[in-house]
Amino acid sequence: MVIYYIQIKRIQYNKGKIFTNNKIFRFLSYIFLNLNLLIAIIFDMVGVIVNSVPLHRKAFFDMFEEFNLDVSNGLYESFTGKSTSAICKELCEIFDLSISHEKLMLSKRKHFKTIFDNDPEFQMIDGALSLIKNYFYNNLTLILASSASMTNINRIFKKFDLDKFFKAKISGADLKESKPNPEIFIKAAKLSGFNKSECIVIEDSTNGVIAVSYTHLRAHETPEHRGCRGVGDKKKGGGGGGGGGG
């Protein structure tokens, strides 16, 4: 039994916004609706549905500054796809901190809420809403599987009125292991009510793709569509660009 997946690569950063190609989403709609075996879609959230990556990045670096943590861009990039809890635990180990990882988490989430509430330009990624509606109205089952905390998932779903389209939501922050551990996708497939072979994952982060690969899941490569590529069983995905969405 396999889960298919597609990796959405981030095309370009410009003033904190990600620009994606709407052809990607039209292509995804075409292949999914013409492959009758695929009836459940598992979405990542950050980098796929919303471009909150710059917001999370700023919140993390505000937290780093608050606790005087010298986190390099390279170290931060290695956190991509992981939950805030997992990242803060790593920070405590790396910097041998005497404070708890929960204190770091509270600080990061405080900064994120302030940024989120005061950013009028924060919107869904172009094409994401039409893709979600397309799947939903064609009777596909949609599941959200995000490393973000359920608080942030609900905040974003409320802002864009997305709950009515999704059968279930799962937060990596509520699981024992974070991406690249595959637990979140295994649970998401179960929540869909369908077999793994009837599911597809749409993911953008390296750790998210690795999580799928660790379960020996099969993928299809689509090199003719820049920004949308399958990743083979033993390959690691590209992209990344930001810590967890907690």
Side-chain angles (χ1 to χ4, degrees), residues 5-222:
Y5 67 95
I6 296 290
Q7 183 184 13
I8 306 285
K9 291 176 67 179
R10 298 186 178 112
I11 306 300
Q12 176 184 358
Y13 279 95
N14 184 9
K15 296 182 180 179
K17 297 181 180 179
I18 296 173
F19 292 85
T20 55
N21 190 339
N22 274 318
K23 291 181 180 179
I24 296 170
F25 294 108
R26 290 197 295 270
F27 169 70
L28 290 176
S29 296
Y30 175 81
I31 63 170
F32 293 168
L33 295 177
N34 284 276
L35 292 175
N36 294 329
L37 293 178
L38 299 177
I39 53 181
I41 314 295
I42 301 171
F43 278 86
D44 181 29
M45 185 176 72
V46 178
V48 174
I49 295 177
V50 294
N51 173 23
S52 56
V53 173
L55 279 67
H56 285 289
R57 181 183 179 89
K58 187 176 189 315
F60 268 111
F61 276 88
D62 285 348
M63 181 266 281
F64 300 156
E65 183 177 356
E66 180 180 340
F67 291 95
N68 197 28
L69 302 179
D70 185 16
V71 176
S72 67
N73 286 329
L75 177 57
Y76 179 74
E77 292 294 324
S78 73
F79 296 148
T80 176
K82 296 183 179 181
S83 68
T84 295
S85 176
I87 293 170
C88 291
K89 286 178 181 177
E90 283 193 45
L91 290 171
C92 286
E93 294 177 0
I94 292 169
F95 293 97
D96 193 25
L97 301 178
S98 58
I99 59 175
S100 67
H101 77 279
E102 287 91 350
K103 190 169 184 179
L104 297 181
M105 286 172 56
L106 289 174
S107 170
K108 186 268 177 178
R109 288 172 177 167
K110 174 193 69 178
H111 289 299
F112 179 81
K113 185 178 186 303
T114 300
I115 296 166
F116 181 90
D117 290 343
N118 292 280
D119 186 353
E121 295 185 359
F122 178 61
Q123 297 295 327
M124 293 180 67
I125 288 177
D126 289 344
L129 182 58
S130 61
L131 182 73
I132 289 168
K133 288 181 176 180
N134 194 348
Y135 293 162
F136 179 79
Y137 291 120
N138 280 279
N139 298 316
L140 297 175
T141 295
L142 308 186
I143 306 292
L144 184 85
S146 173
S147 293
S149 68
M150 191 56 72
T151 298
N152 278 344
I153 290 172
N154 288 335
R155 181 181 290 129
I156 287 170
F157 268 52
K158 180 179 179 180
K159 179 179 178 69
F160 299 112
D161 194 24
L162 297 177
D163 276 306
K164 60 190 176 186
F165 300 116
F166 285 78
K167 178 181 179 180
K169 299 175 291 188
I170 184 171
S171 167
D174 297 329
L175 304 178
K176 292 181 179 179
E177 299 290 341
S178 182
K179 299 175 187 177
N181 186 285
E183 180 183 12
I184 190 169
F185 293 125
I186 294 171
K187 288 185 178 293
K190 289 181 179 178
L191 285 171
S192 77
F194 298 106
N195 295 324
K196 290 181 181 179
S197 59
E198 297 170 312
C199 301
I200 190 162
V201 176
I202 304 179
E203 173 65 78
D204 77 311
S205 73
T206 300
N207 280 322
V209 172
I210 294 172
V212 182
S213 300
Y214 278 170
T215 57
H216 307 290
L217 307 174
R218 190 171 60 194
H220 293 288
E221 191 158 18
T222 55

